[in-house]
Amino acid sequence: MTTRKRRALAALGGVLAAGAGLGLGELTAALAGGTSPVVGVGTQLIDLAPGAAKDFAVKNLGTADKPVLIGVVLLAVTVFAFLAGAIGATAPRVAVAMTALLGLLAILAAATGRTLATNYFVQVLPAIITLLVATIGILLVLRALSPDPFGGGGRRKTPAAEGTNPAEGTSSAEGTSPAEGTSSGEGASAAEAPAGFDRRRFLGTAMALGVAGAGGLGASLVLPDGVSEATRRGIKLPAPGSPARVLPAGVAAEVPGVSRFVTPNPSFYRVDTLLTVPKVDPRTWELRIHGLVDRELRLTFADLLNRRLIERDITLTCVSNEVGGPYVGNARWLGVPIAELLREAGVRDGADAVRSTSVDGLTIGTPLKALTDGRDAIFAVGMNGEPLPFEHGFPVRMVVPGLYGYVSATKWIVDFEVTRFSDFSAYWTDRGWSVEAPIKTSSRIDVPKGFASIKAGPAVAAGVAWAQNRGIAKVEVQVDDGDWQPATLAAEDTIDTWRQWTFRWNATPGNHKLTVRATDATGQVQTADRAAPRPNGSSGLHNTVVMVE
Ligand SMILES: Nc1nc2c(c(=O)[nH]1)N[C@H]1C(S)=C(S)[C@@H](COP(=O)(O)O)O[C@H]1N2
Ligand SMILES: [Mo]
């Protein structure tokens, strides 16, 4: 067999060996828990990525950032394993080392990644399986290609085959490779021997690895992970002790194209750092409230449901939202007032912050004041009349009116520690975002869409404005460089919800620019100063250009 052919087969074998390692590693993760090798490495990439890269992903990939990242990890592994195998055709030790390195990286990612897994061994077990299977796999592949891969037989080839094949230009250097030192003495005597390729053995090995890889991956995908959607749907939420206000008539600007006043769950924006959505079992879920408190509290999901629940309409906003952007949504939340639990726990003097942690180990820091100053900060169990969707933090998340999500809205929460800001730093603040981040007064034009063409004559623009925990008092629109003119405000639901507005104007032919600005109920006018989302939220005025015919 030519070196070229052996290289191709070895490369294929390298990919199959890595695939088998990943497949059985993923299967182990699905069966025993622990960190999935692919997700573990991907999550580390997210955590290590420079802020700018992350901002780019949030902005340009949106929710697709997660499948894209998993795809990138799989592609990188495939390319690396392909190279490892190809190199292995002539330098088997390098191939084994490279393959083992893949496993080691997965172990490293699992061992150092964010996690709350209490059993450290279980956490790294899937990656250990990946390492063992992939390494044994590549050894089997090399054995099938040559009965004695490390003894020198692995690189036996007839001088004729080597010399005449132009595609093997690089092979001239191979004999001098330090990895093959032992083989050089045997080269000549073995030259006329066949390469030792055992076709049946190779096919058998390749098939076994392929089945392990595809089977393991397939099974890990179909195995139920965590609790099922049926279980979630089956949860009956109690009626609130304090219902949300009945939506006042006229909260919605009746203009086609304006955001719905209540954002339906399936279209509610989603921002988090997770590659796979946790499916936490509410039967075993527990929230620990501790730290600078007189009494530590431990609450089960049933404990929460048995308490007095309040229902509130609250608009959530992401700090990453650009001016005019989509990362804002309004929902009807059901939950337990955080202030009541803090009172029961008894907050000690000196505390000024809460560090909350999600099931995957992500931390969020929230000012204690925002949880105790009378606003409706809750541990939410319901969203728009159903248990929280998995994507939005099932079974329990925090919702705090007036603060950006990254400093308040911990999804899949499991730990709540009363502490001091000076004693910790949270996930996002470690990455250059502000420690405290109240939501900036903002407004957005929903219709007309940018560069829409409309007919000359009476026209209407409409959109939303928000200044949670303060309320919107006024919205104004400017046509081109004209005066600021008042828009008509839709009815206010609460100061914690966005408010819709409409603006009627007389459109004259030509291109026109509409600009919007809001004033909150404290009298603060939305600033025209442009700021990027980092470090504490975008600012500037949203405008849109329309073509009037
Ligand atoms: N566990 C966890 N909670 C989280 C996040 C996260 O990455 N992990 N992201 C936060 C951010 S940045 C925002 S804006 C909100 C978004 O909530 P949503 O996805 O339900 O809209 O969740 C917050 N809670
Ligand atoms: Mo966010």
PDB file of all heavy atoms in Angstrom, residues 149-169:
ATOM      1  N   PRO A 149       3.009  -0.997  14.700  1.00  0.00           N
ATOM      2  CA  PRO A 149       3.127   0.422  14.330  1.00  0.00           C
ATOM      3  C   PRO A 149       4.284   1.126  15.011  1.00  0.00           C
ATOM      4  O   PRO A 149       4.904   2.013  14.428  1.00  0.00           O
ATOM      5  CB  PRO A 149       1.792   1.018  14.754  1.00  0.00           C
ATOM      6  CG  PRO A 149       1.192   0.056  15.698  1.00  0.00           C
ATOM      7  CD  PRO A 149       1.735  -1.285  15.368  1.00  0.00           C
ATOM      8  N   PHE A 150       4.604   0.726  16.228  1.00  0.00           N
ATOM      9  CA  PHE A 150       5.647   1.469  16.943  1.00  0.00           C
ATOM     10  C   PHE A 150       7.019   0.845  16.761  1.00  0.00           C
ATOM     11  O   PHE A 150       8.016   1.430  17.111  1.00  0.00           O
ATOM     12  CB  PHE A 150       5.312   1.567  18.426  1.00  0.00           C
ATOM     13  CG  PHE A 150       4.031   2.299  18.643  1.00  0.00           C
ATOM     14  CD1 PHE A 150       2.865   1.604  18.915  1.00  0.00           C
ATOM     15  CD2 PHE A 150       3.994   3.679  18.540  1.00  0.00           C
ATOM     16  CE1 PHE A 150       1.684   2.281  19.089  1.00  0.00           C
ATOM     17  CE2 PHE A 150       2.807   4.355  18.713  1.00  0.00           C
ATOM     18  CZ  PHE A 150       1.641   3.658  18.983  1.00  0.00           C
ATOM     19  N   GLY A 151       7.005  -0.377  16.186  1.00  0.00           N
ATOM     20  CA  GLY A 151       8.288  -1.043  16.046  1.00  0.00           C
ATOM     21  C   GLY A 151       9.004  -0.680  14.768  1.00  0.00           C
ATOM     22  O   GLY A 151      10.122  -1.067  14.530  1.00  0.00           O
ATOM     23  N   GLY A 152       8.337   0.042  13.902  1.00  0.00           N
ATOM     24  CA  GLY A 152       8.966   0.398  12.644  1.00  0.00           C
ATOM     25  C   GLY A 152       8.189  -0.157  11.477  1.00  0.00           C
ATOM     26  O   GLY A 152       8.225   0.390  10.378  1.00  0.00           O
ATOM     27  N   GLY A 153       7.429  -1.240  11.733  1.00  0.00           N
ATOM     28  CA  GLY A 153       6.625  -1.802  10.647  1.00  0.00           C
ATOM     29  C   GLY A 153       5.624  -0.810  10.124  1.00  0.00           C
ATOM     30  O   GLY A 153       5.247  -0.844   8.969  1.00  0.00           O
ATOM     31  N   GLY A 154       5.249   0.096  11.003  1.00  0.00           N
ATOM     32  CA  GLY A 154       4.212   1.051  10.641  1.00  0.00           C
ATOM     33  C   GLY A 154       4.610   1.934   9.480  1.00  0.00           C
ATOM     34  O   GLY A 154       3.760   2.477   8.790  1.00  0.00           O
ATOM     35  N   ARG A 155       5.902   2.079   9.268  1.00  0.00           N
ATOM     36  CA  ARG A 155       6.285   2.963   8.165  1.00  0.00           C
ATOM     37  C   ARG A 155       6.966   2.181   7.050  1.00  0.00           C
ATOM     38  O   ARG A 155       7.613   2.726   6.184  1.00  0.00           O
ATOM     39  CB  ARG A 155       7.168   4.079   8.672  1.00  0.00           C
ATOM     40  CG  ARG A 155       8.363   3.612   9.473  1.00  0.00           C
ATOM     41  CD  ARG A 155       9.164   4.786   9.955  1.00  0.00           C
ATOM     42  NE  ARG A 155       9.824   5.470   8.852  1.00  0.00           N
ATOM     43  CZ  ARG A 155      10.951   5.041   8.308  1.00  0.00           C
ATOM     44  NH1 ARG A 155      11.511   3.918   8.720  1.00  0.00           N
ATOM     45  NH2 ARG A 155      11.510   5.717   7.334  1.00  0.00           N
ATOM     46  N   ARG A 156       6.801   0.865   7.103  1.00  0.00           N
ATOM     47  CA  ARG A 156       7.399   0.072   6.031  1.00  0.00           C
ATOM     48  C   ARG A 156       6.717   0.370   4.713  1.00  0.00           C
ATOM     49  O   ARG A 156       5.518   0.438   4.624  1.00  0.00           O
ATOM     50  CB  ARG A 156       7.219  -1.424   6.323  1.00  0.00           C
ATOM     51  CG  ARG A 156       8.210  -1.896   7.346  1.00  0.00           C
ATOM     52  CD  ARG A 156       7.886  -3.295   7.733  1.00  0.00           C
ATOM     53  NE  ARG A 156       8.515  -3.578   9.006  1.00  0.00           N
ATOM     54  CZ  ARG A 156       8.359  -4.720   9.632  1.00  0.00           C
ATOM     55  NH1 ARG A 156       7.595  -5.664   9.098  1.00  0.00           N
ATOM     56  NH2 ARG A 156       8.957  -4.930  10.755  1.00  0.00           N
ATOM     57  N   LYS A 157       7.492   0.521   3.768  1.00  0.00           N
ATOM     58  CA  LYS A 157       6.928   0.725   2.446  1.00  0.00           C
ATOM     59  C   LYS A 157       8.036   0.434   1.446  1.00  0.00           C
ATOM     60  O   LYS A 157       9.224   0.547   1.760  1.00  0.00           O
ATOM     61  CB  LYS A 157       6.413   2.146   2.267  1.00  0.00           C
ATOM     62  CG  LYS A 157       7.417   3.202   2.717  1.00  0.00           C
ATOM     63  CD  LYS A 157       6.707   4.418   3.265  1.00  0.00           C
ATOM     64  CE  LYS A 157       7.635   5.231   4.135  1.00  0.00           C
ATOM     65  NZ  LYS A 157       6.946   6.050   5.098  1.00  0.00           N
ATOM     66  N   THR A 158       7.641   0.050   0.283  1.00  0.00           N
ATOM     67  CA  THR A 158       8.664  -0.252  -0.714  1.00  0.00           C
ATOM     68  C   THR A 158       9.259   1.053  -1.198  1.00  0.00           C
ATOM     69  O   THR A 158       8.541   2.034  -1.380  1.00  0.00           O
ATOM     70  CB  THR A 158       8.057  -0.986  -1.914  1.00  0.00           C
ATOM     71  OG1 THR A 158       7.076  -0.139  -2.497  1.00  0.00           O
ATOM     72  CG2 THR A 158       7.416  -2.286  -1.493  1.00  0.00           C
ATOM     73  N   PRO A 159      10.561   1.064  -1.364  1.00  0.00           N
ATOM     74  CA  PRO A 159      11.187   2.294  -1.841  1.00  0.00           C
ATOM     75  C   PRO A 159      10.557   2.720  -3.157  1.00  0.00           C
ATOM     76  O   PRO A 159      10.376   3.903  -3.409  1.00  0.00           O
ATOM     77  CB  PRO A 159      12.643   1.900  -2.047  1.00  0.00           C
ATOM     78  CG  PRO A 159      12.844   0.683  -1.199  1.00  0.00           C
ATOM     79  CD  PRO A 159      11.527  -0.011  -1.138  1.00  0.00           C
ATOM     80  N   ALA A 160      10.187   1.729  -3.967  1.00  0.00           N
ATOM     81  CA  ALA A 160       9.606   2.074  -5.263  1.00  0.00           C
ATOM     82  C   ALA A 160       8.346   2.908  -5.071  1.00  0.00           C
ATOM     83  O   ALA A 160       8.182   3.967  -5.670  1.00  0.00           O
ATOM     84  CB  ALA A 160       9.284   0.818  -6.036  1.00  0.00           C
ATOM     85  N   ALA A 161       7.489   2.380  -4.211  1.00  0.00           N
ATOM     86  CA  ALA A 161       6.221   3.083  -4.015  1.00  0.00           C
ATOM     87  C   ALA A 161       6.472   4.503  -3.531  1.00  0.00           C
ATOM     88  O   ALA A 161       5.833   5.442  -3.978  1.00  0.00           O
ATOM     89  CB  ALA A 161       5.374   2.337  -2.998  1.00  0.00           C
ATOM     90  N   GLU A 162       7.438   4.599  -2.645  1.00  0.00           N
ATOM     91  CA  GLU A 162       7.661   5.921  -2.073  1.00  0.00           C
ATOM     92  C   GLU A 162       8.268   6.859  -3.108  1.00  0.00           C
ATOM     93  O   GLU A 162       7.845   7.997  -3.239  1.00  0.00           O
ATOM     94  CB  GLU A 162       8.605   5.794  -0.885  1.00  0.00           C
ATOM     95  CG  GLU A 162       8.642   7.027  -0.043  1.00  0.00           C
ATOM     96  CD  GLU A 162       9.366   6.754   1.257  1.00  0.00           C
ATOM     97  OE1 GLU A 162       9.717   5.581   1.499  1.00  0.00           O
ATOM     98  OE2 GLU A 162       9.585   7.696   2.001  1.00  0.00           O
ATOM     99  N   GLY A 163       9.246   6.311  -3.818  1.00  0.00           N
ATOM    100  CA  GLY A 163       9.975   7.175  -4.732  1.00  0.00           C
ATOM    101  C   GLY A 163       9.167   7.636  -5.918  1.00  0.00           C
ATOM    102  O   GLY A 163       9.372   8.735  -6.411  1.00  0.00           O
ATOM    103  N   THR A 164       8.270   6.813  -6.366  1.00  0.00           N
ATOM    104  CA  THR A 164       7.596   7.162  -7.603  1.00  0.00           C
ATOM    105  C   THR A 164       6.358   8.006  -7.394  1.00  0.00           C
ATOM    106  O   THR A 164       5.758   8.470  -8.345  1.00  0.00           O
ATOM    107  CB  THR A 164       7.147   5.893  -8.346  1.00  0.00           C
ATOM    108  OG1 THR A 164       6.364   5.119  -7.441  1.00  0.00           O
ATOM    109  CG2 THR A 164       8.340   5.106  -8.842  1.00  0.00           C
ATOM    110  N   ASN A 165       5.977   8.104  -6.188  1.00  0.00           N
ATOM    111  CA  ASN A 165       4.724   8.823  -5.977  1.00  0.00           C
ATOM    112  C   ASN A 165       5.011  10.290  -5.669  1.00  0.00           C
ATOM    113  O   ASN A 165       5.492  10.622  -4.605  1.00  0.00           O
ATOM    114  CB  ASN A 165       3.971   8.176  -4.809  1.00  0.00           C
ATOM    115  CG  ASN A 165       2.572   8.733  -4.693  1.00  0.00           C
ATOM    116  OD1 ASN A 165       2.310   9.831  -5.192  1.00  0.00           O
ATOM    117  ND2 ASN A 165       1.695   7.991  -4.060  1.00  0.00           N
ATOM    118  N   PRO A 166       4.650  11.156  -6.589  1.00  0.00           N
ATOM    119  CA  PRO A 166       4.947  12.573  -6.394  1.00  0.00           C
ATOM    120  C   PRO A 166       4.154  13.179  -5.236  1.00  0.00           C
ATOM    121  O   PRO A 166       4.557  14.193  -4.680  1.00  0.00           O
ATOM    122  CB  PRO A 166       4.558  13.222  -7.724  1.00  0.00           C
ATOM    123  CG  PRO A 166       3.626  12.256  -8.381  1.00  0.00           C
ATOM    124  CD  PRO A 166       3.933  10.903  -7.845  1.00  0.00           C
ATOM    125  N   ALA A 167       3.069  12.549  -4.913  1.00  0.00           N
ATOM    126  CA  ALA A 167       2.251  13.121  -3.847  1.00  0.00           C
ATOM    127  C   ALA A 167       2.912  12.981  -2.484  1.00  0.00           C
ATOM    128  O   ALA A 167       2.428  13.485  -1.501  1.00  0.00           O
ATOM    129  CB  ALA A 167       0.883  12.437  -3.813  1.00  0.00           C
ATOM    130  N   GLU A 168       4.015  12.228  -2.464  1.00  0.00           N
ATOM    131  CA  GLU A 168       4.627  11.979  -1.163  1.00  0.00           C
ATOM    132  C   GLU A 168       5.852  12.818  -0.931  1.00  0.00           C
ATOM    133  O   GLU A 168       6.762  12.432  -0.223  1.00  0.00           O
ATOM    134  CB  GLU A 168       4.995  10.515  -1.039  1.00  0.00           C
ATOM    135  CG  GLU A 168       3.765   9.633  -1.028  1.00  0.00           C
ATOM    136  CD  GLU A 168       4.143   8.192  -1.132  1.00  0.00           C
ATOM    137  OE1 GLU A 168       5.240   7.847  -0.673  1.00  0.00           O
ATOM    138  OE2 GLU A 168       3.357   7.439  -1.690  1.00  0.00           O
ATOM    139  N   GLY A 169       5.840  13.947  -1.506  1.00  0.00           N
ATOM    140  CA  GLY A 169       6.992  14.821  -1.376  1.00  0.00           C
ATOM    141  C   GLY A 169       7.493  14.984   0.042  1.00  0.00           C
ATOM    142  O   GLY A 169       8.690  15.000   0.286  1.00  0.00           O
TER     143      GLY A 169
END
